[in-house]
Amino acid sequence: MTKTSFTLQATDGLARTGRIDTPRGTIRTPAFMPVGTAATVKAMMPESVAATGADILLGNTYHLMLRPTAERIDRLGGLHRFMNWDKPILTDSGGFQVMSLADLRKLTEKGVTFKSHIDGSKHELTPERSMDIQRLLGSDIVMCFDECPALPADRDRIAESMRLSMRWAQRSRDAFGDRPGYMLFGIQQGGLEEDLRAESAEALRAIGFDGYAVGGLAVGEGQEAMFGCLEYAPGQLPEDKPRYLMGVGKPDDIVGAVKRGIDMMDCVLPSRSGRTGQAWTRRGQVNIKNARHQDDPRPLDEDCTCPACRNYSRAYLHHVFRAQEMISGMLLTWHNLHYYQELMQGMREAIAAGQFAAFEADFHALRAEGDI
Ligand SMILES: CCCSCc1cc(N)cc2c(=O)[nH]c(N)nc12
């Protein structure tokens, strides 16, 4: 197969389930995408990430351009070969990470210049350079180069930033060119302003993309404001293309986003919190470092089939976290990513069966029971 396609298979209310077909494999939607920032999902072997059920993972233009550089990865056969992951990879375009990580940033119409947070070296990112880096990496899904303003921000700042991102979206589209088998996603901006988001959606639709991201959220606005924006933002985007909500989120954020028409999400939370001893379960969150677990022979989650829950007790997990043993982050990261993928599979099945409302009710009822 040399082409890509998105097929909607069922809807239930605004929730949708479908598939994105690419030459490197199929992505079942709604999909959760683990984040592999520096060519690794931290504390996980690629085979383990695949075993959790992930169909796709994320990489970061910003991190990989600084170290080991996109040119080196290209010379070594591309990111898939480099990190031993042969399924699809989506890469973010770098602007968001520059604004959150780099030093001495300078933003102009052309792009951004900045100093590396690693060694202070000077760099420039533009829509054209971002497309070139993502091509060198071999990304299956390429993100437009955009600017994501930190919230809160006044309306004029949000409007100005969104319009810059739309000009950058056109330049990204022009620089990406015609690449059968690869997808380019536009990124909607506009903060929490419905009319600015509509303007952004129309600008992206006129340019034309293989998928559309809802950007500019999960930047401190809180769940209520995010859901308020998701009441209208997904519906402003083309119905026949994938809709990707960037940087989200906690399990209840994810269920609420799918309910409102989102098809793809990514977040560092399950892997990052796994390394700090925070387990996400169907009954809520468990801090395994809490002393109450030190004699508990039960698994994290009696109903979970991941290696951590099948083979280890809470007492053991508590011990290896207290002892700062490497296996601690491995086991809890595996559990969290497994749980996230189970949640996505449960939603895909519920939407296909027209039972999403019941799924959502059960999801919240289990968490309300407490006693975890
Ligand atoms: C690997 C990380 C991917 S998601 C990063 C991210 C997260 C959030 N919350 C928003 C944005 C955004 O508006 N634009 C871009 N490019 N990225 C964003």
Side-chain angles (χ1 to χ4, degrees):
M1 175 208 302
T2 57
K3 287 181 68 62
T4 63
S5 64
F6 175 56
T7 310
L8 265 182
Q9 292 171 319
T11 61
D12 185 350
L14 295 174
R16 304 137 44 108
T17 185
R19 52 186 287 162
I20 301 170
D21 288 298
T22 79
R24 281 204 173 89
T26 294
I27 302 151
R28 298 163 291 172
T29 66
F32 179 79
M33 305 182 285
V35 178
T37 290
T40 164
V41 177
K42 292 178 171 49
M44 294 287 286
M45 298 283 284
E47 306 88 302
S48 308
V49 176
T52 66
D55 294 332
I56 178 173
L57 60 73
L58 261 66
N60 256 314
T61 290
Y62 170 78
H63 295 79
L64 295 172
M65 71 181 279
L66 297 180
R67 183 175 58 189
T69 76
E71 288 74 11
R72 174 167 286 115
I73 290 176
D74 178 43
R75 287 196 303 270
L76 290 162
L79 185 56
H80 295 81
R81 180 71 201 90
F82 190 55
M83 69 182 290
N84 188 32
W85 174 264
D86 62 3
K87 296 170 183 275
I89 294 176
L90 180 151
T91 46
D92 200 7
S93 45
F96 181 82
Q97 290 77 25
V98 167
M99 302 317 276
S100 49
L101 289 171
D103 301 321
L104 287 178
R105 306 177 297 262
K106 183 165 180 260
L107 177 70
T108 66
E109 181 70 29
K110 185 183 180 190
V112 288
T113 58
F114 60 94
K115 278 192 162 185
S116 162
H117 73 287
I118 297 170
D119 61 12
S121 52
K122 288 186 178 178
H123 297 269
E124 179 183 54
L125 260 181
T126 65
E128 294 77 14
R129 175 65 179 140
S130 179
M131 294 303 106
D132 192 40
I133 289 171
Q134 296 179 76
R135 179 186 56 76
L136 287 168
L137 295 174
S139 310
D140 303 281
I141 301 179
V142 170
M143 300 307 293
C144 274
F145 189 69
D146 67 327
E147 200 229 345
C148 170
L151 293 183
D154 65 38
R155 180 183 161 85
D156 289 347
R157 164 79 179 102
I158 290 170
E160 181 188 0
S161 172
M162 179 273 288
R163 289 163 187 154
L164 173 63
S165 287
M166 296 307 100
R167 294 192 295 275
W168 284 357
Q170 181 65 67
R171 286 168 55 190
S172 297
R173 174 85 263 177
D174 295 343
F176 180 84
D178 181 21
R179 300 180 63 210
Y182 296 90
M183 303 176 95
L184 176 64
F185 279 25
I187 304 177
Q188 183 196 45
Q189 292 292 346
L192 303 176
E193 308 290 332
E194 185 170 358
D195 60 333
L196 295 181
R197 287 222 170 246
E199 180 184 329
S200 178
E202 281 320 301
L204 295 175
R205 188 193 294 264
I207 297 168
F209 291 99
D210 302 301
Y212 296 82
V214 177
L217 294 178
V219 289
E221 74 279 0
Q223 186 184 77
E224 185 180 352
M226 180 177 76
F227 281 172
C229 185
L230 292 178
E231 291 299 334
Y232 56 80
Q236 296 171 332
L237 301 171
E239 187 177 9
D240 63 339
K241 302 290 185 192
R243 297 160 175 166
Y244 163 25
L245 176 58
M246 304 187 85
V248 173
K250 300 190 304 300
D252 56 332
D253 295 330
I254 287 174
V255 172
V258 169
K259 177 182 180 177
R260 292 166 174 84
I262 293 297
D263 303 305
M264 302 161 74
M265 286 149 285
D266 83 273
C267 193
V268 294
L269 187 63
S271 39
R272 182 174 293 169
S273 58
R275 297 195 301 278
T276 64
Q278 297 297 324
W280 296 88
T281 79
R282 74 201 71 228
R283 288 178 175 75
Q285 222 176 322
V286 176
N287 177 353
I288 201 62
K289 292 188 285 195
N290 189 305
R292 69 187 178 94
H293 301 296
Q294 65 183 355
D295 296 306
D296 193 334
R298 297 176 304 162
L300 261 182
D301 182 342
E302 307 273 1
D303 301 318
C304 181
T305 59
C306 85
C309 292
R310 278 202 321 269
N311 305 315
Y312 301 93
S313 66
R314 290 180 181 214
Y316 178 78
L317 295 172
H318 174 80
H319 159 66
V320 288
F321 263 99
R322 288 283 185 170
Q324 298 183 329
E325 290 295 338
M326 296 172 75
I327 194 172
S328 59
M330 293 164 65
L331 288 173
L332 234 61
T333 299
W334 193 323
H335 166 80
N336 285 348
L337 290 175
H338 177 100
Y339 169 64
Y340 267 59
Q341 293 302 336
E342 254 193 358
L343 184 64
M344 304 316 292
Q345 180 63 21
M347 287 194 283
R348 294 191 291 261
E349 290 171 356
I351 296 164
Q355 296 296 318
F356 184 80
F359 178 92
E360 183 190 18
D362 290 347
F363 171 83
H364 289 295
L366 267 176
R367 301 174 104 69
E369 284 176 7
D371 180 30
I372 52 174

